[in-house]
Amino acid sequence: MQDERRPVLSVEEALERILETVRVLEPERVPILEALGRVLAEEVVADRSIPPLPNSAMDGYAVRAADVARVPVRLRVIAEAPAGRLSPVEVTPGTAVRIMTGAPIPAGADTVVPFEHTRVEQDSSCEWVEILRETRPGANVREAGEDVRAGQVVLSPGQVLRPQEIGMLAALGRTEVAVIRRPRVAILATGDEVVPPWETPGPGQIRDANSYTVAAQVRQYGGVPLLLGVARDEETLAREGVRRALAERADLIITSGGVSIGDFDLVKQVLAAEGEMRFWSLNMKPGRPLAFGVVGGVPLVGLPGNPVSAMVATELFVRPALRKMQGFTQWPWPEVRARLTDPITRKDGRRHYLRVRLRETPEGWEATLTGDQGSGILSSLVQADGLAVIPEDVDHLPADSEVRVLLLREYGVRNTE
Ligand code: AMP
Ligand code: MG
């Protein structure tokens, strides 16, 4: 059943419309560990040099290069220089200071000879060190500012903060940093038959899976999910849910269910009544019906109710929206090319996303369908490592054809066979 008033959009057109509607959110200041994986919203300038002073790269002896120009040579050990303080003594001709890695080079010294190239000699009055190997002048000395110079711009707005950037912030004495804030995402399930997971379903009822799949995806992609529960299939209740989302200061509203024709286009009615409605049918499977609009200035994505459709549509449309809102300018899907062991027949001109399990073989990745590809079969996603993409214009594929597979393995390997 196809509603003629609805334009059929391609996945790309739909995504473009969503992305031109969502905006990059404002910055907020957070403790540096909270900034992991987020987009920097300020310039970070070094308050001081790292290292602050010339220091030793090795455990050994700080010497004057001129004293060790010829080896072997014997020098008198006059002090010890531990890390973390300035050496009070000066290295004068014929002397050396025992030095630890990271300790400032004492005045007078310009070279460090590692322990391995020395031999210690003790006599009654003092300690001596014999330098056994030639050492290049300046060897094993780390210059002040060789890592970072005071005043240098170390990190720039727009950068995604990884563990090494978090460490750099700490090294620069920053305990907080400005990053783009996380989007608050209100999630509302709809359906007279849908009950929360903690309730015992009555006859003909099912538990709400979609709110949780979608909330987990929202969290995975950096958003803060706000679970609004389940609204009955009544326009007033769905409208009430959307109002609650606005009261919660949601940056994005996601509903599931109530977008197919059998549901009297519940979400479409809400969008029409409360905001600006754009509605379409997408040229994809699963997930043909998908509503999109703006309510009270907030974008709303109306997902189909079938659990596979809801998750796939969230992956394809909500993930990029969340990434853009958080200041990312790219959101490539991790993907591989794989040999699809199953043949494809009787396609219908739509783009198909098939659930597949991946196996690595000496000839590359091999993909196998995870059984029933019905859009209500959530277990087909539980089994899946990825989504094989079959383009619109392909209506059949022989077994062992090469396909693109979008990976559903953000957390790494499957860990079971
Ligand atoms: P709808 O889009 O509302 O027509 O729903 C399509 C199918 O998805 C129906 O079989 C619903 O029972 C099912 N469904 C709707 N919402 C949910 C949900 N939150 N969790 C699990 N299944 C759902
Ligand atoms: Mg429904």
Side-chain angles (χ1 to χ4, degrees):
M1 198 172 14
Q2 179 86 29
D3 184 339
E4 292 307 323
R5 289 163 302 161
R6 288 193 270 181
V8 176
L9 296 190
S10 70
V11 170
E12 283 72 26
E13 288 167 327
L15 182 55
E16 204 175 300
R17 291 204 189 178
I18 291 174
L19 289 176
E20 65 195 22
T21 305
V22 301
R23 298 271 160 259
V24 180
L25 300 176
E26 325 77 65
E28 64 175 353
R29 290 184 71 78
V30 299
I32 53 175
L33 258 187
E34 299 299 315
L36 179 64
R38 297 172 67 178
V39 174
L40 185 63
E42 64 171 311
E43 193 171 76
V44 176
V45 176
D47 65 330
R48 55 169 69 196
S49 291
I50 307 172
L53 296 169
N55 68 91
S56 180
M58 300 283 278
D59 291 340
Y61 291 89
V63 300
R64 301 166 75 100
D67 282 353
V68 298
R70 279 155 194 254
V71 287
V73 61
R74 210 164 77 129
L75 301 172
R76 193 157 59 84
V77 180
I78 55 171
E80 235 183 66
R85 52 188 136 99
L86 294 177
S87 168
V89 301
E90 186 178 335
V91 175
T92 49
T95 68
V97 164
R98 237 172 100 89
I99 193 163
M100 299 302 136
T101 304
I105 302 293
D110 54 16
T111 301
V112 172
V113 183
F115 284 147
E116 304 86 280
H117 302 168
T118 67
R119 185 165 53 221
V120 178
E121 288 167 24
Q122 189 81 41
D123 68 24
S124 54
S125 58
C126 60
E127 186 180 323
W128 298 86
V129 61
E130 192 177 11
I131 309 297
L132 304 171
R133 285 230 213 138
E134 242 171 79
T135 312
R136 181 179 53 77
N140 304 314
V141 173
R142 302 192 285 217
E143 290 307 324
E146 76 172 14
D147 186 0
V148 173
R149 276 168 291 103
Q152 183 188 335
V153 175
V154 184
L155 303 173
S156 303
Q159 261 186 278
V160 180
L161 301 176
R162 301 166 298 168
Q164 53 270 54
E165 282 83 27
I166 303 296
M168 179 58 82
L169 287 165
L172 298 173
R174 300 290 304 264
T175 57
E176 288 189 346
V177 68
V179 291
I180 306 295
R181 71 174 174 83
R182 297 185 183 282
R184 294 165 59 80
V185 183
I187 298 166
L188 179 70
T190 71
D192 288 341
E193 77 284 26
V194 182
V195 299
W198 53 87
E199 277 183 23
T200 306
Q205 292 188 317
I206 54 164
R207 297 194 183 100
D208 174 13
N210 293 348
S211 292
Y212 292 85
T213 313
V214 172
Q217 288 173 290
V218 164
R219 187 171 283 178
Q220 194 166 16
Y221 300 133
V224 179
L226 310 165
L227 290 165
L228 299 187
V230 187
R232 303 262 145 266
D233 281 327
E234 261 172 60
E235 199 195 320
T236 47
L237 296 178
R239 278 165 79 160
E240 199 264 322
V242 169
R243 290 209 195 105
R244 255 189 310 137
L246 294 175
E248 294 269 4
R249 294 177 295 108
D251 301 298
L252 177 67
I253 302 170
I254 302 179
T255 63
S256 76
V259 288
S260 52
I261 293 159
D263 284 314
F264 313 109
D265 292 344
L266 178 73
V267 172
K268 185 181 177 183
Q269 288 170 27
V270 173
L271 276 171
E274 301 278 312
E276 176 203 324
M277 189 264 298
R278 298 200 209 167
F279 195 77
W280 66 76
S281 182
L282 295 186
N283 198 29
M284 65 180 272
K285 182 183 174 179
R288 187 209 301 264
L290 189 93
F292 180 67
V294 179
V295 214
V298 177
L300 182 150
V301 176
L303 300 170
N306 275 311
V308 174
S309 311
M311 177 169 172
V312 172
T314 302
E315 228 19 59
L316 295 178
F317 302 107
V318 174
R319 176 183 183 273
L322 292 176
R323 290 327 225 174
K324 177 174 178 189
M325 292 167 111
Q326 291 169 88
F328 289 80
T329 53
Q330 295 170 353
W331 33 84
W333 272 276
E335 64 171 66
V336 296
R337 301 199 73 88
R339 213 162 33 77
L340 183 61
T341 55
D342 313 75
I344 302 294
T345 51
R346 292 185 291 120
K347 251 185 95 256
D348 54 3
R350 290 192 275 168
R351 184 177 312 174
H352 286 204
Y353 292 89
L354 304 174
R355 280 77 79 198
V356 295
R357 228 174 137 86
L358 287 169
R359 201 167 69 87
E360 209 171 2
T361 73
E363 294 80 45
W365 290 101
E366 183 185 273
T368 308
L369 295 182
T370 58
D372 187 336
Q373 295 290 303
S375 56
I377 311 292
L378 186 53
S379 58
S380 70
L381 272 171
V382 172
Q383 299 285 323
D385 298 313
L387 298 172
V389 186
I390 315 296
E392 293 80 341
D393 57 359
V394 172
D395 56 23
H396 67 276
L397 275 182
D400 293 329
S401 300
E402 195 183 74
V403 294
R404 269 174 71 210
V405 177
L406 308 181
L407 297 178
L408 295 173
R409 275 201 201 175
E410 280 263 313
Y411 294 127
V413 294
R414 188 199 297 139
N415 222 25
T416 55
E417 261 324 304

